[in-house]
Amino acid sequence: MSKRVPISFEFFPTKTDAGAEKLRVVHQELLPLAPEFFSITYGAGGSTRERTLAAINDFNGQGVPVAPHLSCIGDNKGRIAELLDLYKDLGINRVVALRGDLPSGQVGLGELPYAQDLVRFIREHSGDHFQIEVAAYPEMHPQADSFDADIHRFVEKVQAGANAGLTQFFFNPDAYFYFVDRIQKAGIDIPIAPGIMPLTNASNLIRFADGTGAEIPRWIRKQLQAYGDDSQSIKAFGHEVVLNLCERLLAGGAPGLHFYTMNQTDPTRQLVLDLGLAKA
Ligand code: FAD
């Protein structure tokens, strides 16, 4: 029997009760696709602490594990330790450990300035309780000194105790394969799941890409421009592009796929079904 490709779904905590209710519906709709876990993002400096926790409480214990994101920049060890203990008590055994990005104007890196410091702290505080996922950047983190330096930083996160990587979104599969090759040549053999961003809205995509340093290939930009306000055509085009990307990644050996759901059911569900990774 062939091994099932693990998939995971990322949510962000919402600001309103109505948003939280809508997210509960999305969660219920995605549950039957049997992901390995749902992850919930966390605002740097603890800015979404309560809302992330509320979402974790909503989704914990419903058959599919939840993995809280945890960021360290601008935060302190005491607060992070409290959260780790709380998550452990809730029976959670996976976290996504990140540096985070401080909102502009906020200064002070805090006690744990980089993700590798957070990973090390989690291991010191909680031992091997948590499976630790960390971020990976096939097209290089925008603040890295160089591609080589960024590879080195990723290796350090693994040496500090990370078990797996989830990548920033990208559209060029060669960037992912090259990154994985470089990591393996550095002696690291952990699963690195590509982060998949469904393409449904041109202006949102450009905004996210500008914020994260992800490259939108010229041919995709041009085609999106040509569709203008024709949202149906953009969705159909976006589905085809991302489906093709996922197929190439899986054919090339990607160990799983991590979907940035943007708190929406349909774009992610359609991709997963068309890839044959779950049954309708
Ligand atoms: P790091 O691994 O610490 O790297 C950050 C930068 O510092 C890199 O350029 C690296 O090369 C460099 N660096 C690392 N160590 C050193 C050192 N010792 N000296 C000098 N330079 C160093 N953000 C949130 O706020 N909340 C979230 O929930 C969230 N979820 C995410 C999920 C995924 C899958 C991904 C890919 C990103 C997510 N982010 C989130 C965004 C992330 O926080 C930002 O990309 C942030 O800028 C970097 O985080 P990191 O964990 O990769 O940092």
Side-chain angles (χ1 to χ4, degrees), residues 187-241:
I188 299 295
D189 186 22
I190 61 165
I192 300 177
I196 303 298
M197 176 72 85
L199 197 177
T200 58
N201 178 304
S203 54
N204 282 351
L205 179 73
I206 291 167
R207 188 160 48 84
F208 296 140
D210 287 348
T212 57
E215 187 185 40
I216 305 178
R218 178 180 152 85
W219 65 275
I220 296 182
R221 277 190 190 261
K222 289 287 170 197
Q223 191 63 340
L224 290 174
Q225 269 170 16
Y227 286 131
D229 293 334
D230 180 355
S231 61
Q232 280 314 103
S233 296
I234 289 176
K235 281 182 188 155
F237 169 71
H239 179 71
E240 191 189 324
V241 167

Side-chain angles (χ1 to χ4, degrees), residues 72-104:
C72 55
I73 198 168
D75 223 323
N76 68 54
K77 288 182 180 177
R79 276 201 301 258
I80 293 171
E82 268 174 31
L83 270 181
L84 290 170
D85 292 345
L86 183 60
Y87 290 145
K88 194 173 174 181
D89 288 347
L90 289 171
I92 288 165
N93 58 14
R94 184 191 302 254
V95 291
V96 184
L98 304 141
R99 184 196 69 172
D101 289 312
L102 282 181
S104 56

Side-chain angles (χ1 to χ4, degrees), residues 8-228:
S8 50
F9 298 145
E10 182 170 312
F11 291 148
F12 55 87
T14 60
K15 292 192 174 130
T16 61
D17 289 348
E21 187 48 43
K22 185 173 164 265
L23 190 54
R24 281 181 211 116
V25 174
V26 173
H27 175 255
Q28 287 300 318
E29 289 171 343
L30 290 176
L31 267 177
L33 302 183
E36 197 182 11
F37 64 94
F38 287 97
S39 82
I40 318 281
T41 65
Y42 182 82
S47 57
T48 68
R49 189 183 157 99
E50 301 309 323
R51 289 189 276 124
T52 297
L53 249 178
I56 292 290
N57 278 321
D58 272 351
F59 305 142
N60 193 27
Q62 295 203 39
V64 169
V66 282
H69 293 209
L70 208 53
S71 72
C72 55
I73 198 168
D75 223 323
N76 68 54
K77 288 182 180 177
R79 276 201 301 258
I80 293 171
E82 268 174 31
L83 270 181
L84 290 170
D85 292 345
L86 183 60
Y87 290 145
K88 194 173 174 181
D89 288 347
L90 289 171
I92 288 165
N93 58 14
R94 184 191 302 254
V95 291
V96 184
L98 304 141
R99 184 196 69 172
D101 289 312
L102 282 181
S104 56
Q106 200 170 327
V107 288
L109 300 180
E111 292 179 283
L112 303 165
Y114 294 105
Q116 56 176 281
D117 302 312
L118 176 60
V119 172
R120 199 169 296 113
F121 179 70
I122 296 172
R123 287 288 174 240
E124 278 164 20
H125 185 78
S126 307
D128 285 338
H129 177 78
F130 294 103
Q131 149 101 7
I132 304 179
E133 311 269 338
V134 287
Y137 301 86
E139 295 179 337
M140 195 180 110
H141 184 266
Q143 290 155 5
D145 290 338
S146 67
F147 190 86
D148 284 358
D150 213 23
I151 293 280
H152 178 64
R153 298 304 181 191
F154 185 81
V155 170
E156 285 182 333
K157 290 196 273 196
V158 179
Q159 288 168 342
N163 305 103
L166 303 172
T167 81
Q168 185 56 273
F169 75 88
F170 59 87
F171 292 103
N172 179 355
D174 288 336
Y176 169 81
F177 293 128
Y178 181 70
F179 181 85
V180 171
D181 189 49
R182 288 291 306 271
I183 294 297
Q184 286 175 347
K185 284 189 173 130
I188 299 295
D189 186 22
I190 61 165
I192 300 177
I196 303 298
M197 176 72 85
L199 197 177
T200 58
N201 178 304
S203 54
N204 282 351
L205 179 73
I206 291 167
R207 188 160 48 84
F208 296 140
D210 287 348
T212 57
E215 187 185 40
I216 305 178
R218 178 180 152 85
W219 65 275
I220 296 182
R221 277 190 190 261
K222 289 287 170 197
Q223 191 63 340
L224 290 174
Q225 269 170 16
Y227 286 131

